[in-house]
Structures are given as structure tokens and as C-alpha cells.
Amino acid sequence: MDDWRPEDPDFWRTTGARVARRNLWVSIFAEHVGFSVWSLWSVTVLFLGPEYGIDPAGKFLLTAVPAALGAVLRLPYTLAVARFGGRTWTIVSALLLLVPAVPMAVLLEPGVSYGTLMVLACLTGVGGGNFASSMANINLFFPDRLKGRALGLNAGGGNIGVPAVQLVGLAVLATVGTAYPRLVPAVYLPLIVLAALASARWLDNIPAARNEPGALREAARDRHTWVMSLLYIGTFGSFIGFGFAFGQVLQLQFADRFPTPVDAAWLTFLGPLIGSLIRPLGGQLADRLGGARVTFWNFVAMAAGAGLVLYAARDRSFPLYLVGFLALFVFSGVGNGSTYKMIPAIFRARAAASVAQGRRDPESAERWTRRMTGSLIGIAGAVGAFGGVLVNVAFRQSFLSSGTADAAYLAFIGWYALCFVVTWVVYLRPGRHRLPGV
């Protein structure tokens, strides 16, 4: 598209809104498929019975490595949108999902080596990169006043890929048992092709989008980049980490209630589904109440939820345990939406201050805001996704050292406490350095 002016009310009413909505819905579908592929091993490990010879610690590693590669790929995927165009890169990134899905559909059977499984698990991390490029692309299409809702819908629709793949796994487990794990990735082969074709047919490139030279270096030197990355570890990192680990944790924590993978699979999808559906609400609440305020109280609630899970685990109360874990999924979803809303608000507030002080003219301030917002989204998205690795490693080490997840829950409580303190100190504490509108 040669002309794109989403902030112009007339252009938005006559042309922009229709085009932006079309790109949003196709982007949601493509990102949804990417998230499903990224999350394949959250359900695949439930198929790996004694005949595979893998202990619980080994299974937690299989769910950690996709999160690691997905985190690494988020930064280059963010840059690829401006370098190649959102439409072009969405087609390419969709087709790259075939790289893990095809060999998984061929090789998953008893007798396959653990090293092969680790490689296959790692390759599914390409689906994690799709989130970053999709968010960077949709961020270009909507005016500032609608970014919170649009990004929330895009992210929430993509995140539903986690419970969706777990429901596919449940259907396979319930119908043919654990003997055919290869059927789960096989289901996604036609969906991957359909995502690529839909992107080619209905998405648009915006030629004006470009990667600003030195933008990443400038963002990396900005303290807000690392503050927001820390907060995003607590929100998105928790969501993806719990989504990958929940089924295993249920089987280990309450082995008497979940003796078979089918028993665990009935509940595995529930938390990620709720967290995904609630994410747009986080963006909408941030639009109305302010991102920092929503994020602060959200982390308070997450700390309380982790405390309830710890208490329930020690008391062997499964109903309380389930309520606490579902609360963690809910508030991780809300926090995903509110933190993403904070990012452009931070730079808009700083740009407005620089204009008021005469250090920038309005046009250059607007360019700087877009430049820094895009860079921070890329960096925070990459760093935050490592939270999924940390969650799985925390569970692994906790079960290895004590046979329970208590140490992991204590670590989560400490992290969420750190996050709500940082949010208050940096963005909510009264004083001359407080950023208005964040």
C-alpha cells in the first residue's frame, strides 16, 4: 500500500479501518497456527510413556527448548516485518512451520532417540517467532487510540493456539490412545498451508514501514526497555511457561487423580484457554485505567494466586490448587494486554515532554515514538519469552531436588512481588519523573 495514514480520521473512516480489520483477522489466524506449533510439546510429552524411557526431568527440558528458540527468534522476526513487508514475512513464517511439523509427523514413535526428540522440540520454536512479527505488523495498521484493543485481539487470538493444540491432543488421546503422537502435528499440516495461502491472498505490505538504523541499539540503552522486559517475563513468560508445563505438573503433583495422560489432558487446555480469552480485556482496561495501574494490581493478584497454589499443594487440596492455577492464567493474560499497552504510552509521554521543552518538533517526536516502540516491542518480546524457559526449568529443578513444586511456587511469588514493586517505583510513584498517561 502506497498511502497509509491511520491517524488521519477521514482516511481511517473511508479506507483504513476496513483494511486494518482484514489484516488483523488473517494475522490472528496465522499467528494462532504458529502458537499451536510452538506449543506442540506441551501435549506431546503426555504421549511419551515408559516405552520412550524419559523421566519427568527430561520431559521438562523438552518443553523448555521450544520456548528458548522462540524467544531467540522474536527479535529477528520483528525486524523482518519492515525488511520484507508484513504480508511477505507472514507467508514465509507460516511455511517455516512445516520444518518441525513434517518430521514430527514422521518420526514420533517408540524407539526414537532422546536427542532426536530434543531437536524436534527445539524446531517448534519457530512458531514462537511468529508472535513477534505478527504484533509488529498489526501495530502498523491501527491508530494509537485503538492499538490496545487491536494488539490484545491479535495476541489473544494467537495465544488460543496453546489450548487449541492441547484439545487436539486430547481428542487423539481419547480416540486412539498414546500410540499415535504423530497425529497431533499431522492435523496442523493443512492448517499451515492454509495460513500461508490466506496471507498471500488477504494481507498487505506497507512500503513505508522500515527498520530505523540504530533503533535497537538506542532502545537497548534505554532503561525502560529492560524494565518492560522484566515485567513481560512475569506476564507472557508465566503464560507460556505454565501453558507448556501444566499437564506435567498435574500428573506429578496429583498423581492419584491423574494416573493417565487422558485424565490430565481434560484440564491441561483450560488455563491457557482462559488466559488467551482474557488478554484483550487487559488491553481494554489499560486503555481506560492506564497500563501501569492495571499491571501493578495484576502482579499483586498473580503473587496471591501463586501463594494460593503453594498453600493448596502443601494441603493436598486439588480444588484450591486448580482455582489458584487458573487465577495465574487469568492474570497472566490480563498482564500481557496491559504491558503491551504501556510500551507506546511510555514513549508518547516522553516525546510530548521533549516537544514541550523545545527539544523536538512534533513530527520528529512522532517518528521517535514509533521507532522506539517497535524496538522495545521486539526486545521485550524476546526477553519476556525466556520466562517460559525459566518456568519449566524452575519446575524441573524443584521436582528434582525435593519431589515437589514448592520451591518453584516460592520463586514465582518472589518474582511477582519484584514486578509489582518495580511497576510502582518506575511508573506509579508520585514525583516529577512520573510519566503521564502510562
Side-chain angles (χ1 to χ4, degrees):
M1 298 190 64
D2 297 323
D3 181 29
W4 188 250
R5 294 171 282 114
E7 300 294 346
D8 183 330
D10 291 333
F11 177 85
W12 180 254
R13 185 179 63 258
T14 58
T15 304
R18 173 178 50 82
V19 173
R21 284 195 296 268
R22 186 185 71 235
N23 279 265
L24 174 62
W25 297 124
V26 176
S27 175
I28 287 173
F29 174 66
E31 186 193 339
H32 173 91
V33 175
F35 247 96
S36 294
V37 171
W38 192 22
S39 308
L40 275 170
W41 284 87
S42 69
V43 68
T44 301
V45 292
L46 300 179
F47 288 84
L48 305 182
E51 65 272 21
Y52 287 86
I54 305 172
D55 62 10
K59 291 181 181 180
F60 277 118
L61 283 181
L62 287 172
T63 52
V65 291
L69 182 62
V72 169
L73 290 179
R74 283 188 160 205
L75 196 54
Y77 269 53
T78 299
L79 299 175
V81 169
R83 176 66 178 85
F84 302 105
R87 171 182 177 272
T88 305
W89 184 250
T90 304
I91 297 168
V92 172
S93 61
L95 292 175
L96 285 174
L97 299 174
L98 294 171
V99 173
V102 170
M104 282 182 68
V106 174
L107 298 175
L108 283 180
E109 61 182 14
V112 64
S113 70
Y114 184 71
T116 300
L117 293 177
M118 284 288 284
V119 171
L120 294 176
C122 185
L123 287 175
T124 59
V126 297
N130 288 21
F131 174 85
S133 57
S134 179
M135 293 294 277
N137 185 41
I138 292 304
N139 186 61
L140 298 171
F141 278 93
F142 284 84
D144 285 341
R145 71 182 187 280
L146 299 177
K147 285 185 189 296
R149 181 176 182 273
L151 292 175
L153 286 171
N154 191 58
N159 289 0
I160 291 176
V162 181
V165 74
Q166 292 166 350
L167 283 171
V168 170
L170 172 61
V172 173
L173 285 168
T175 53
V176 299
T178 60
Y180 299 98
R182 63 179 64 186
L183 291 179
V184 181
V187 167
Y188 280 91
L189 295 179
L191 295 178
I192 291 169
V193 175
L194 180 59
L197 292 175
S199 301
R201 174 65 180 84
W202 287 298
L203 289 188
D204 297 289
N205 285 329
I206 300 178
R210 63 183 185 277
N211 293 317
E212 298 281 353
L216 282 177
R217 287 193 299 273
E218 184 178 357
R221 292 193 295 265
D222 193 299
R223 73 185 183 105
H224 291 283
T225 296
W226 303 108
V227 171
M228 292 307 302
S229 296
L230 181 147
L231 300 183
Y232 202 56
I233 289 174
T235 56
F236 180 76
S238 294
F239 172 82
I240 199 66
F242 293 148
F244 283 10
F246 191 36
Q248 296 181 77
V249 173
L250 284 177
Q251 284 194 291
L252 293 170
Q253 196 86 60
F254 294 93
D256 55 331
R257 282 181 170 267
F258 303 101
T260 70
V262 176
D263 296 316
W266 280 108
L267 283 176
T268 298
F269 76 94
L270 189 58
L273 177 62
I274 294 173
S276 301
L277 293 175
I278 205 74
R279 179 165 182 160
L281 177 63
Q284 291 171 12
L285 285 174
D287 285 338
R288 293 179 56 190
L289 305 175
R293 184 180 302 171
V294 174
T295 299
F296 172 82
W297 287 110
N298 193 74
F299 277 123
V300 172
M302 290 185 75
L308 179 60
V309 169
L310 175 62
Y311 171 81
R314 289 178 171 177
D315 198 51
R316 302 296 298 166
S317 171
F318 177 71
L320 278 180
Y321 184 87
L322 183 60
V323 168
F325 233 117
L326 291 181
L328 286 174
F329 276 110
V330 167
F331 291 114
S332 67
V334 172
N336 283 340
S338 65
T339 49
Y340 252 87
K341 178 62 179 178
M342 288 173 66
I343 292 173
I346 288 168
F347 293 113
R348 282 200 304 272
R350 294 168 65 188
S354 68
V355 171
Q357 296 164 7
R359 292 185 288 111
R360 283 193 175 96
D361 61 80
E363 185 177 346
S364 65
E366 177 63 26
R367 286 198 305 269
W368 180 81
T369 299
R370 290 196 302 267
R371 164 192 175 101
M372 295 296 287
T373 295
S375 299
L376 197 158
I377 285 174
I379 295 173
V383 175
F386 272 108
V389 182
L390 298 176
V391 167
N392 281 271
V393 170
F395 278 127
R396 178 181 185 273
Q397 292 307 117
S398 186
F399 280 112
L400 277 177
S401 61
S402 64
T404 72
D406 289 3
Y409 302 139
L410 287 170
F412 302 150
I413 293 170
W415 188 265
Y416 302 145
L418 172 66
C419 287
F420 70 67
V421 169
V422 168
T423 304
W424 184 83
V425 169
V426 179
Y427 298 114
L428 292 175
R429 182 177 54 173
R432 64 186 182 89
H433 294 296
R434 181 174 176 179
L435 296 173
V438 176

